[in-house]
Coordinates of all heavy atoms in Angstrom, one line a residue:
M15 N -10.0 -4.2 3.0 CA -11.0 -3.2 2.7 C -10.5 -2.5 1.4 O -9.3 -2.3 1.1 CB -11.2 -2.2 3.7 CG -10.0 -1.6 4.3 SD -10.4 -0.7 5.9 CE -10.5 1.0 5.3
P16 N -11.5 -2.2 0.6 CA -11.1 -1.5 -0.7 C -10.3 -0.2 -0.5 O -10.6 0.5 0.4 CB -12.5 -1.2 -1.4 CG -13.5 -2.1 -0.7 CD -12.9 -2.3 0.7
G17 N -9.3 -0.1 -1.3 CA -8.5 1.2 -1.3 C -7.4 1.3 -0.3 O -6.7 2.3 -0.2
L18 N -7.2 0.3 0.6 CA -6.1 0.3 1.6 C -4.8 0.3 0.9 O -3.9 1.1 1.4 CB -6.2 -0.9 2.5 CG -5.3 -0.8 3.8 CD1 -5.5 0.4 4.6 CD2 -5.5 -2.1 4.7
A19 N -4.5 -0.5 -0.1 CA -3.2 -0.5 -0.7 C -3.1 0.9 -1.5 O -1.9 1.3 -1.5 CB -3.2 -1.7 -1.7
N20 N -4.1 1.4 -2.0 CA -4.0 2.7 -2.7 C -3.6 3.8 -1.6 O -2.7 4.7 -2.0 CB -5.3 3.1 -3.3 CG -5.6 2.2 -4.5 OD1 -4.7 1.6 -5.1 ND2 -6.8 2.3 -5.0
Q21 N -4.2 3.8 -0.5 CA -3.8 4.7 0.5 C -2.3 4.6 0.9 O -1.7 5.7 1.1 CB -4.7 4.6 1.8 CG -6.2 5.0 1.5 CD -6.9 4.7 2.8 OE1 -6.7 5.2 3.8 NE2 -8.0 4.0 2.7
I22 N -1.8 3.4 1.0 CA -0.5 3.2 1.4 C 0.5 3.7 0.3 O 1.4 4.5 0.6 CB -0.2 1.7 1.6 CG1 -0.9 1.1 2.9 CG2 1.3 1.4 1.8 CD1 -1.0 -0.3 3.1
T23 N 0.1 3.5 -0.9 CA 1.0 4.0 -2.0 C 0.9 5.5 -2.1 O 2.0 6.1 -2.4 CB 0.6 3.3 -3.4 OG1 -0.7 3.6 -3.6 CG2 0.9 1.8 -3.4
E24 N -0.2 6.0 -1.8 CA -0.3 7.5 -1.8 C 0.6 8.1 -0.8 O 1.3 9.1 -1.0 CB -1.8 8.0 -1.5 CG -2.8 7.7 -2.5 CD -2.7 8.8 -3.6 OE1 -2.5 9.9 -3.3 OE2 -2.8 8.4 -4.8
I25 N 0.7 7.5 0.4 CA 1.6 8.0 1.5 C 3.0 7.9 1.0 O 3.8 8.8 1.3 CB 1.4 7.3 2.8 CG1 0.1 7.8 3.4 CG2 2.5 7.5 3.7 CD1 -0.3 7.2 4.8
V26 N 3.3 6.7 0.5 CA 4.8 6.6 0.0 C 5.1 7.6 -1.1 O 6.1 8.3 -1.0 CB 4.9 5.1 -0.5 CG1 6.4 4.9 -1.1 CG2 4.7 4.2 0.6
T27 N 4.3 7.7 -2.1 CA 4.8 8.4 -3.3 C 4.4 10.0 -3.2 O 5.2 10.8 -3.6 CB 4.0 8.0 -4.6 OG1 2.6 7.9 -4.4 CG2 4.6 6.5 -4.9
R28 N 3.2 10.3 -2.7 CA 2.9 11.7 -2.6 C 3.3 12.5 -1.4 O 3.8 13.5 -1.4 CB 1.3 11.9 -2.8 CG 1.0 11.5 -4.2 CD -0.3 12.3 -4.7 NE -0.5 11.9 -6.0 CZ -1.8 11.6 -6.5 NH1 -2.8 11.6 -5.7 NH2 -1.9 11.4 -7.8
E29 N 3.0 11.8 -0.2 CA 3.3 12.4 1.1 C 4.8 12.4 1.4 O 5.4 13.4 1.7 CB 2.5 11.8 2.3 CG 2.7 12.5 3.6 CD 1.9 11.8 4.6 OE1 0.7 11.4 4.4 OE2 2.4 11.7 5.8
M30 N 5.4 11.2 1.2 CA 6.8 11.0 1.6 C 7.7 11.2 0.4 O 8.9 11.3 0.6 CB 7.0 9.6 2.2 CG 6.2 9.2 3.3 SD 6.7 10.0 4.9 CE 8.3 9.4 5.2
K31 N 7.2 11.2 -0.8 CA 7.9 11.4 -2.1 C 9.0 10.4 -2.3 O 10.2 10.7 -2.5 CB 8.4 12.8 -2.1 CG 7.4 13.9 -2.2 CD 7.9 15.3 -2.3 CE 6.9 16.4 -2.4 NZ 5.5 16.1 -2.2
L32 N 8.8 9.2 -2.1 CA 9.7 8.0 -2.1 C 9.4 7.2 -3.4 O 8.2 7.3 -3.9 CB 9.6 7.1 -1.0 CG 10.0 7.8 0.4 CD1 9.7 6.8 1.6 CD2 11.4 8.3 0.4
N33 N 10.3 6.5 -3.9 CA 10.1 5.7 -5.1 C 9.8 4.2 -4.6 O 10.5 3.6 -3.8 CB 11.4 5.6 -5.9 CG 11.8 6.9 -6.6 OD1 10.9 7.7 -7.0 ND2 13.0 7.2 -6.6
I34 N 8.7 3.7 -5.2 CA 8.3 2.3 -4.9 C 9.1 1.4 -5.8 O 9.1 1.7 -7.0 CB 6.8 2.1 -5.1 CG1 6.0 2.9 -4.0 CG2 6.4 0.7 -5.0 CD1 4.5 2.9 -4.2
R35 N 9.7 0.4 -5.3 CA 10.5 -0.6 -6.1 C 9.8 -1.9 -6.3 O 10.1 -2.7 -7.0 CB 11.9 -0.7 -5.5 CG 12.6 0.5 -5.3 CD 12.9 1.3 -6.6 NE 13.9 0.7 -7.3 CZ 14.2 0.9 -8.6 NH1 13.5 1.8 -9.2 NH2 15.3 0.4 -9.1
G36 N 8.8 -2.2 -5.3 CA 8.1 -3.4 -5.4 C 6.8 -3.3 -4.5 O 6.9 -2.7 -3.6
L37 N 5.8 -4.0 -4.9 CA 4.5 -3.9 -4.2 C 3.8 -5.2 -4.3 O 3.7 -5.8 -5.4 CB 3.6 -2.8 -4.7 CG 2.4 -2.4 -4.1 CD1 2.7 -1.8 -2.6 CD2 1.6 -1.4 -4.9
N38 N 3.3 -5.8 -3.2 CA 2.6 -7.2 -3.2 C 1.7 -7.2 -2.1 O 2.0 -7.3 -0.9 CB 3.7 -8.2 -3.1 CG 3.0 -9.6 -3.2 OD1 1.9 -9.7 -3.6 ND2 3.8 -10.6 -2.8
F39 N 0.4 -7.1 -2.4 CA -0.7 -7.1 -1.4 C -1.7 -8.3 -1.8 O -1.9 -8.5 -2.9 CB -1.4 -5.8 -1.2 CG -0.7 -4.8 -0.5 CD1 0.0 -3.8 -1.3 CD2 -0.6 -4.7 0.8 CE1 0.7 -2.8 -0.6 CE2 0.1 -3.7 1.4 CZ 0.8 -2.7 0.7
S40 N -2.1 -9.0 -0.8 CA -3.1 -10.1 -1.1 C -4.0 -10.2 0.1 O -3.7 -9.9 1.3 CB -2.4 -11.4 -1.4 OG -1.6 -11.8 -0.3
S41 N -5.2 -10.8 -0.2 CA -6.2 -11.1 0.9 C -6.0 -12.5 1.4 O -5.6 -13.4 0.6 CB -7.6 -10.9 0.3 OG -8.5 -11.3 1.2
R42 N -6.2 -12.6 2.7 CA -6.0 -13.9 3.3 C -7.3 -14.7 3.3 O -7.4 -15.9 3.7 CB -5.5 -13.8 4.7 CG -4.1 -13.4 4.8 CD -3.6 -13.4 6.2 NE -2.2 -13.0 6.3 CZ -1.6 -12.7 7.3 NH1 -2.2 -12.7 8.5 NH2 -0.3 -12.4 7.3
G43 N -8.5 -14.0 3.0 CA -9.7 -14.7 3.0 C -10.4 -14.6 4.3 O -11.6 -15.1 4.4
D44 N -9.8 -14.1 5.3 CA -10.5 -14.1 6.6 C -10.7 -12.7 7.1 O -10.9 -12.4 8.2 CB -9.5 -14.8 7.7 CG -8.2 -14.1 7.8 OD1 -7.9 -13.2 7.0 OD2 -7.4 -14.5 8.8
G45 N -10.7 -11.7 6.0 CA -11.0 -10.3 6.3 C -9.7 -9.6 6.5 O -9.8 -8.3 6.9
T46 N -8.6 -10.2 6.4 CA -7.3 -9.4 6.6 C -6.5 -9.4 5.3 O -6.7 -10.3 4.5 CB -6.4 -10.0 7.7 OG1 -6.1 -11.4 7.3 CG2 -7.1 -9.9 9.1
M47 N -5.7 -8.4 5.2 CA -4.9 -8.2 4.0 C -3.4 -8.1 4.5 O -3.2 -7.6 5.6 CB -5.3 -6.9 3.3 CG -4.4 -6.5 2.1 SD -3.1 -5.5 2.4 CE -3.6 -4.1 3.4
Y48 N -2.6 -8.7 3.7 CA -1.2 -8.7 4.0 C -0.4 -8.3 2.8 O -0.7 -8.7 1.7 CB -0.7 -10.2 4.5 CG 0.8 -10.2 4.7 CD1 1.4 -9.7 5.9 CD2 1.6 -10.7 3.7 CE1 2.8 -9.7 6.1 CE2 3.0 -10.7 4.0 CZ 3.6 -10.3 5.2 OH 5.0 -10.3 5.3

């Protein structure tokens, strides 16, 4: 769904105040994202 990766990065950077070192999200084509 749109924005899911953005919500995850918001939690990591804004809520938890952690540094992201790598990020990789992709759609499987069956309605799920990994």
Side-chain angles (χ1 to χ4, degrees):
M15 49 192 263
L18 187 60
N20 290 341
Q21 290 179 53
I22 293 169
T23 57
E24 288 281 321
I25 284 179
V26 173
T27 58
R28 291 209 174 134
E29 184 179 318
M30 303 286 297
K31 298 185 181 358
L32 300 172
N33 293 322
I34 295 176
R35 305 302 279 167
L37 185 66
N38 181 14
F39 286 98
S40 62
S41 173
R42 291 188 176 164
D44 63 354
T46 59
M47 180 268 312
Y48 174 81

